[in-house]
Amino acid sequence: MSAFLSIRGLGKRFLSRGTVVRAIENFSLDIEEGEFVTIVGPSGCGKSTLLNILAGLYPPSAGEILFEGRHVRGLNPEIGYVTQQDNLLPWRTLRKNVLLPIEFRGGSASGGAEERVGALIRKVGLSGFDNHYPHELSGGMRQRANIIRTLVYNPRVILMDEPFGPLDAQTRLTLQNQLLDLWNDERKTIIFITHDLTEAISLADRVVLMTGRPGTIKSVTPIRIPRPRDVYHIHRSEAYREVYDKLWEELRVEVARVM
Amino acid sequence: MTQEVQSRPPEEVLIPAGLQGLRLLIWRIRRTEELRWARVALLRVLFGIVMVALWEGVSGRLIDQRIISSPGALLEAFLDLAGPDNPDGTLWTHFAYTMENTFWGYLAGALLGILFGFMLAEAEVIAQVIEPFIMAFNGVPRIAYAPLFIAWFGIERQPKIILVLTIVFFLCFVSTFSGIRSVPQELVNVARVLGGRKADILRKVVLPAASPWIFSGLKISIPFGMVGAIVGEYIIADRGLGYLLQRYNNEYFTTGIILVIFILMFFVVAVNQLLNWAEGRMLRWRPTGQTGQETAIPN
């Protein structure tokens, strides 16, 4: 019996200026349904490459991905992907952007879909901005739109590539809080990449720490801080500090190795 | 240009009180902006009037009127040529002939150019193979092809339309091609993950993303296309504005030449304004200042 999502011996090499670059090597991880996994690692350790492969945009050089025991090749319609850049279509209003996957997936834009879009927009506090174009929204608003654009079609797995990276500290906390709320309601399986240890710990069931290039798993740490968590004050808890110190020691070695 | 300036900021009940100040500030800036534009427009009109007055004053006094004509003579020639009892057709006949040729050549050239731009942007290898050939064909001044087109297509409308077509085709082709090439790969990837199939992505992502480029190609094609029609008539024709230019040139009729130039000028400016307006409406999603309003008219 295999896990819900099983990554086995994944590797990625590519040619760059005539030399072979090993981006990822022997990456294996089993993820349970509804689990929130965060991945941290030094920059350039192949985190984004990993997500691109999981999303099915590029094939791996080695290894395989099993989704509910089935071998996955190419795009998996059950997997959603929230990229670091919001990648909203600038000529579509917020509402039309969120409706895009429904149009793509052949669902009629009537009835249920419209309602779901409206509900999600309200839930992340974007009411009243439905008909705004992306350039009229702040970075935090755009990123919220990006997230609900993926939630709207109900993928069972959501990949997130440093979605709060470009945002300021206060907005980040607000969005982390909202993300936890959404996750609590819908219990999606989330694989979330970040380089911010605090973020990784506040959100995760398990934190996966990656080594520098070639990226592979250095450690997997379960986070036993009870939920619901308070992202605003989590840094005060003893459990948080303990796990932060442990992870930071491990990460420090990897960062030093890369620099 | 001088729109009615509102005396009060528009009421906005949804915005909380804290933001009201910010809104007011934006409204003030916009209002000064409008005033600034009104002033520019007024000065433009004044500038035009001064130029015409200077021209009229200098003509026949400081400079020979046979060389620079004069606004008065121009008006006279216009009324004469536009009048009904002109031996070889009124100004309207010539204008219509040139514009019809331009129109058909432009339409066919633009459609084919956009279509080929799309097709080649999707066909990497073919694009690479034929690129130098296209550049070579396009690099030669179009007038060099004119005699060939006349030999092939006769002395009626066809060679003129074909000349316009080839000019417009390449401008639209190149702008469409580079527009599609410049669509960010991330946007296409996201659309794929969101479940878009190739045709959907082309229609809902690639085409709108490339539309500013396509628009700018359509815009610069207008004056260039007209060059094609006029050059074609200049070489051989019995009608059209290009024919008029050629005839007036032989007759040393400076006023006539300048009159034709002015007619072309007014037409190009009017069409350009129309396209700017259409573009502004279609590309409303772009942040202000990026609608291509500032595109200069090429010669």
Side-chain angles (χ1 to χ4, degrees), chain B residues 2 16 23 42 49 57 73 85 112 118 154 177 181 216 262 265:
Chain B
T2 49
R23 232 193 127 71
L42 191 71
I49 290 173
D85 39 41
L112 286 173
F118 256 99
F177 184 81
R181 280 300 170 89
S216 85
F262 265 79
M265 229 183 246

Side-chain angles (χ1 to χ4, degrees), chain A residues 139-178:
Chain A
M141 290 165 127
R142 283 204 298 270
Q143 203 50 270
R144 274 180 266 185
N146 185 18
I147 291 169
I148 61 174
R149 178 175 63 175
T150 291
L151 286 174
V152 77
Y153 66 89
N154 256 321
R156 293 168 70 190
V157 180
I158 298 178
L159 312 172
M160 301 183 122
D161 185 6
E162 296 194 38
F164 308 144
L167 306 176
D168 65 84
Q170 288 140 28
T171 312
R172 286 181 81 130
L173 282 176
T174 316
L175 290 202
Q176 285 168 11
N177 198 36
Q178 269 180 3

Side-chain angles (χ1 to χ4, degrees), chain A residues 16-116:
Chain A
S16 173
R17 297 175 183 244
T19 55
V20 176
V21 177
R22 293 176 302 158
I24 304 173
E25 221 164 57
N26 196 24
F27 189 104
S28 297
L29 186 67
D30 279 351
I31 295 163
E32 295 308 319
E33 183 156 23
E35 198 178 8
F36 200 134
V37 174
T38 55
I39 300 178
V40 269
S43 58
C45 74
K47 295 177 300 233
S48 297
T49 310
L50 177 71
L51 283 203
N52 284 336
I53 293 170
L54 289 181
L57 288 170
Y58 307 110
S61 314
E64 56 178 359
I65 300 159
L66 298 174
F67 182 78
E68 294 188 313
R70 279 173 291 121
H71 194 83
V72 183
R73 212 184 275 277
L75 291 170
N76 181 348
E78 301 283 3
I79 292 184
Y81 190 3
V82 176
T83 47
Q84 184 172 14
Q85 299 303 320
D86 56 71
N87 284 319
L88 297 173
L89 302 183
W91 53 89
R92 281 181 167 240
T93 60
L94 191 159
R95 171 176 285 271
K96 299 271 282 174
N97 260 297
V98 179
L99 271 169
L100 186 69
I102 291 167
E103 291 175 22
F104 278 160
R105 282 160 192 261
S108 63
S110 63
E114 281 282 352
E115 254 164 49
R116 181 157 167 79

Side-chain angles (χ1 to χ4, degrees), chain A residues 55-58 75-76 79-81 83 87-92 100-101 103-106 133 135 149-150 153, chain B residues 14 184-187 189-197 200-201 204-206 208-210 284-288:
Chain A
L57 288 170
Y58 307 110
L75 291 170
N76 181 348
I79 292 184
Y81 190 3
T83 47
N87 284 319
L88 297 173
L89 302 183
W91 53 89
R92 281 181 167 240
L100 186 69
E103 291 175 22
F104 278 160
R105 282 160 192 261
Y133 288 102
H135 78 265
R149 178 175 63 175
T150 291
Y153 66 89
Chain B
L14 288 168
Q185 187 57 40
E186 297 82 58
L187 229 50
N189 277 346
V190 161
R192 284 174 61 204
V193 173
L194 291 177
R197 268 159 306 197
D200 291 329
I201 294 176
K204 292 187 169 169
V205 179
V206 175
R284 225 175 336 191
W285 49 271
R286 308 197 89 192
T288 41

Side-chain angles (χ1 to χ4, degrees), chain B residues 157-172:
Chain B
R157 282 175 185 281
Q158 292 86 332
K160 286 109 189 161
I161 295 178
I162 301 281
L163 208 54
V164 177
L165 191 153
T166 59
I167 293 172
V168 173
F169 172 82
F170 280 106
L171 291 171
C172 288

Side-chain angles (χ1 to χ4, degrees), chain B residues 66-271:
Chain B
R66 280 171 299 181
I67 296 175
I68 62 161
S69 184
S70 78
L74 218 59
L75 188 67
E76 210 174 298
F78 174 73
L79 292 174
D80 178 44
L81 206 61
D85 39 41
N86 214 290
D88 56 11
T90 64
L91 186 61
W92 174 244
T93 328
H94 297 294
F95 180 77
Y97 183 75
T98 302
M99 290 313 151
E100 274 169 37
N101 294 343
T102 307
F103 175 78
W104 292 114
Y106 182 87
L107 192 70
L111 286 177
L112 286 173
I114 291 171
L115 193 73
F116 269 76
F118 256 99
M119 278 165 30
L120 278 195
E122 295 290 314
E124 183 95 28
V125 179
I126 300 175
Q128 279 172 349
V129 170
I130 68 171
E131 198 227 329
F133 296 95
I134 289 182
M135 287 308 140
F137 185 81
N138 193 37
V140 178
R142 216 48 51 91
I143 190 168
Y145 296 111
L148 209 53
F149 289 162
I150 289 165
W152 289 348
F153 304 109
I155 56 168
E156 294 296 320
R157 282 175 185 281
Q158 292 86 332
K160 286 109 189 161
I161 295 178
I162 301 281
L163 208 54
V164 177
L165 191 153
T166 59
I167 293 172
V168 173
F169 172 82
F170 280 106
L171 291 171
C172 288
F173 167 75
V174 170
S175 59
T176 305
F177 184 81
S178 33
I180 287 171
R181 280 300 170 89
S182 70
V183 176
Q185 187 57 40
E186 297 82 58
L187 229 50
V188 175
N189 277 346
V190 161
R192 284 174 61 204
V193 173
L194 291 177
R197 268 159 306 197
K198 206 163 168 52
D200 291 329
I201 294 176
L202 207 60
R203 197 160 55 88
K204 292 187 169 169
V205 179
V206 175
L207 181 63
S211 61
W213 277 266
I214 298 175
F215 246 106
S216 85
L218 286 173
K219 250 168 40 170
I220 60 166
S221 289
I222 291 177
F224 278 116
M226 244 161 51
V227 168
I230 285 172
V231 164
E233 291 163 2
Y234 200 95
I235 292 171
I236 187 161
D238 58 357
R239 261 173 299 169
L241 294 175
Y243 156 77
L244 276 187
L245 273 179
Q246 187 261 345
R247 203 184 76 192
Y248 293 155
N249 191 34
N250 288 343
E251 295 169 357
Y252 301 105
F253 182 32
T254 319
T255 304
I257 294 172
I258 296 177
L259 178 64
V260 174
I261 291 173
F262 265 79
I263 290 165
L264 290 172
M265 229 183 246
F266 279 117
F267 181 76
V268 168
V269 169
V271 172

